[in-house]
Amino acid sequence: MKIHKKFMDEALQQARDALTAGDFPVGCVIEYNGEIVASGRRRHSFGKVNEIDHAEITALRELLAVDTQVEIDKVTVYSTMEPCLMCFSTLLVNGVRRFVFSYEDAMGGGTNLPLPMLSPLYRDLQITIVGSVLREESLALFKTFFSSSKCQYLKNTLLATYTLQQK
């Protein structure tokens, strides 16, 4: 668990940077052989919706753009929020098999996708998912985001309500 906290701390820094920039506070790092090989944060400004540049997708793009010997099926993705269905399935299709996240996405989390019930592409995948690593630290960032008077993104949604009710 200590190793998970080390890399989640780095993902949390990405999330803090996103929050400072006025973006949804999701950060992600991709670890391989004990090293961070890619990172990303949510790129979304208040009032301008972009549902493509999630932290996990940004980190994956960075990883794939680098000429490297990384075996993608041996990386671990660390994200401050449970990957959404888009991110989770994109990472799976690209070969990622290990996921660690901080805060559960009560509205759109994708890690509960019933893989055995899906088509052959997904059905036989052997994946590892670890949740709630440094959850309180991530939750605090989301509470700050949703409490902001500038926040319009996902305002009054299940995720915002759920987050603000957490203790």
Side-chain angles (χ1 to χ4, degrees), residues 23 42-51 152-153:
D23 295 331
R42 180 62 189 256
R43 304 262 182 215
H44 175 269
S45 298
F46 290 120
K48 189 172 184 181
V49 176
N50 175 347
E51 292 300 343
Q152 294 303 311
Y153 182 68

Side-chain angles (χ1 to χ4, degrees), residues 16-23 41 44-46:
R16 284 185 208 94
D17 292 347
L19 184 62
T20 298
D23 295 331
R41 66 175 179 84
H44 175 269
S45 298
F46 290 120

Side-chain angles (χ1 to χ4, degrees), residues 2 18 25 30 50 53-54 58 67 69 76 79 82 87 98 102 125 129 131 138 142 145-146 150 154 157 163:
K2 186 176 181 180
I30 300 177
N50 175 347
D53 295 328
H54 290 197
T58 303
D67 184 22
Q69 299 298 321
T76 302
S79 184
E82 176 186 5
C87 293
R98 294 191 304 250
S102 281
L125 295 180
I129 300 169
S138 187
F142 287 104
F145 178 82
F146 286 124
K150 296 178 184 177
L154 298 178
T157 63
T163 298

